[in-house]
Amino acid sequence: MSSLVAFNKGMGVQMAGDTVACGYIHNCTIVSNNSTGVHFDYGYTSYDIRNSIIWGNTGDAGVTCENTGIGLTLGNNVIGGKTVAVKWTNGSCWSIGGNQFADPLLDGNCVPTEGSPAVKAGRNLRNYPLAAELRACGLRPLLVNASD
């Protein structure tokens, strides 16, 4: 959560699980990596991407999902890939809205500039169940450019 993953020689983020699990990518910027931005693979796993920018990675898709049992939920993201934004096989992909497929207009430090579709495009995750879990652990969810 709330991370920058950029300029790597391989994938930006790869998650895989052989059992039932959940993976969250919230408030992250994953850009300019030398492969797919985010890759999910294996198992009966649920993944959730919200309030994130996935752009300018060299893979064919910004986000890929492969193999059985994967469920992916996307909400309030700016996503792009070389040929498609999201590519999945043998899984399910749900959009809860607010996703944009346009250049996020980032500066040299990977920060959205004036006029970026990412500015004020996020949703407030304060009441999202994961936010309560973070607070219970003594952590505070980061709310950047939240619109509500």
Side-chain angles (χ1 to χ4, degrees):
M1 295 185 76
S2 303
S3 298
L4 170 64
V5 179
F7 311 111
N8 290 296
K9 292 183 180 180
M11 290 181 193
V13 175
Q14 180 176 9
M15 293 184 186
D18 290 332
T19 60
V20 177
C22 296
Y24 300 94
I25 296 176
H26 293 173
N27 300 323
C28 292
T29 301
I30 301 167
V31 297
S32 301
N33 295 290
N34 195 23
S35 186
T36 299
V38 178
H39 178 79
F40 300 117
D41 204 353
Y42 297 109
Y44 295 93
T45 307
S46 174
Y47 297 108
D48 188 276
I49 303 175
R50 297 178 198 239
N51 295 353
S52 294
I53 298 170
I54 301 168
W55 190 265
N57 301 288
T58 63
D60 287 338
V63 178
T64 58
C65 294
E66 295 181 353
N67 297 313
T68 61
I70 292 174
L72 171 63
T73 303
L74 301 168
N76 296 85
N77 301 292
V78 178
I79 303 175
K82 196 187 295 184
T83 56
V84 295
V86 180
K87 175 181 155 186
W88 68 92
T89 55
N90 298 323
S92 300
C93 182
W94 301 276
S95 173
I96 59 169
N99 296 298
Q100 300 182 59
F101 307 98
D103 187 336
L105 304 174
L106 303 177
D107 68 13
N109 293 315
C110 303
V111 175
T113 60
E114 186 176 332
S116 168
V119 174
K120 295 191 178 178
R123 296 225 6 133
N124 188 330
L125 297 178
R126 182 170 293 131
N127 295 319
Y128 186 68
L130 182 60
E133 292 173 27
L134 290 171
R135 283 192 293 273
C137 294
L139 301 172
R140 210 178 75 191
L142 179 64
L143 304 173
V144 178
N145 294 325
S147 62
D148 61 359

